[in-house]
Amino acid sequence: MTTAADDTADEAAFEAFLAGRPVPEEADGGSHAVAAFAGAVRATATLPGRPSAALADLLAAGLLTDQSSPSIRTAPSAGRSLRRSRVRRRRRFAMLFPALLAKFLSAGAVAQAASGAGICLVAFTGAGVAGVLPAPVQDTFSSVVGTGTAGGTTVPADPTGTGTATVTDTVTETGDPVLETPVVVAPTDLTLEDWAKGPAPEQAFGDWVSDGARHGYADGKTISEWAHARNEDRHGGADDSTAPATASGAPEAQDDDSAKESGSRSGSGGHRDGGTSGSDGGSHGGSHGGDNGGSHGRG
Amino acid sequence: MRTGLPFDDVLAAAQAGAAWAFEVLYRALSPSVTGYLRLHGAAEADDLASETFIGVFTGLSGFSGDEDALRAWVFTIAHRRLIDDWRRRSRRPQVSDDPGDLTELPGGDVEDDALVGVGTETVHRLCAVLPDDQRSVLLLRILADLTVEQVAEAMGRSVGSVKALQRRGLRALRTGLENSSERVGAGAHPYEPLRR
């Protein structure tokens, strides 16, 4: 039968062990056993675990923050990102066009005439810039608008971009189309959504993590989910179903704790543990707003 | 956490993404983090520990604090990964049945290793009978060396609640130890082999 005195003695022995002090002599055998248990617990935790492949990549290569010359392996994902953005633009236009057409048809006659004139003007300007107008018209157009270009570089006449100098920087004197070079990775090409979809098939996991960190998308939860999926792939064979469930690329829904953490994070700010993830979030000790709220004073 | 290097230097390098600093922090913290997860009965403790450290390393740039704060933060992440894992599995944590996890302890003497193995199994068994919250409090205090206040913050509980959980956990532990002693036999302490 454990008494209140035993509880007090056990707590004293426990605290003494944690503080590195000897167990009080007046403690009974049970309190000594409690302290011995604590020592046994520590004895079981002496070796590091086996790091997963993703963690091993991090431990071997770190998070490369300075990548002025992007690696070849990042090029495919960048090219894919460009393609995706073009597809998105096309889809957006496809959605907007019917709405614009309906609005135009429902407008009054004067409005339609004005809009039609505007469209013709824009079309004429575009054709003139492209140099596809008949020769006399083109000459006239060039004499009026041609002052806007110099040496193949477009200089906007109006710094605000709202004036008549609508010539874009893709127009050169040679008329050569602008070639896309998928090897060049612009820092803004990678969106959070793209990054959250995980590493490209031929992309190293570490490179994917580094990309995310460089763009500020690095999210411990997302990375863990993908690492977990990758490990499962390695253990049980490739299976797309093991990929983390994403809502537009985001990791799985957060639990109650996560919601609470995100609330406390917004209260104290400070640490950012992975952007959208709330799993490691929350506020943390003093200047750190990661997981623990408040300070970590010794009690 | 004894890194052998100035903590501020290690932290600054780790925040810059240096692999060597990750290695230093991993070696210093991984044993206790992995042990914490194992003693909680996590089925894949190594994987959970890896997820924890990936989260730590990728989120380290926003951290500022001393060693104590870093350790508390790391264990907070580990604890939440554990809870996520429990919820994923939707079942009560169970003691790992993988003997490799329990007996991978340093040593070279077969008899010592066997004794330590027996002690490790007893530790796992006693931990398994504790309720989750009580086990979390005791393990965070023992393995993470956190204060009651830090444990309260890591678990999202009040200080008073953590103190009560600790008291009840120690009481349950004493009962379990007494039962173990009775099973082992009079005069034979279940942790005698570990007190070397």
Side-chain angles (χ1 to χ4, degrees), chain B residues 1-61:
Chain B
M1 180 170 51
R2 294 178 178 83
T3 63
L5 296 167
F7 174 75
D8 290 343
D9 294 348
V10 175
L11 178 61
Q15 287 175 326
W20 70 264
F22 288 167
E23 180 81 18
V24 169
L25 292 177
Y26 181 73
R27 286 194 178 281
L29 291 166
S30 172
S32 52
V33 169
T34 308
Y36 175 74
L37 297 168
R38 280 179 182 157
L39 287 175
H40 262 300
E44 297 173 353
D46 286 355
D47 287 347
L48 274 184
S50 294
E51 290 179 17
T52 299
F53 279 98
I54 288 173
V56 168
F57 293 152
T58 54
L60 202 55
S61 58

Side-chain angles (χ1 to χ4, degrees), chain A residues 129-131 151-154 168-180:
Chain A
V129 168
T153 304
T154 302
T168 65
D169 58 1
T170 59
V171 177
T172 65
E173 287 190 341
T174 59
D176 291 335
V178 177
L179 297 177
E180 290 184 358

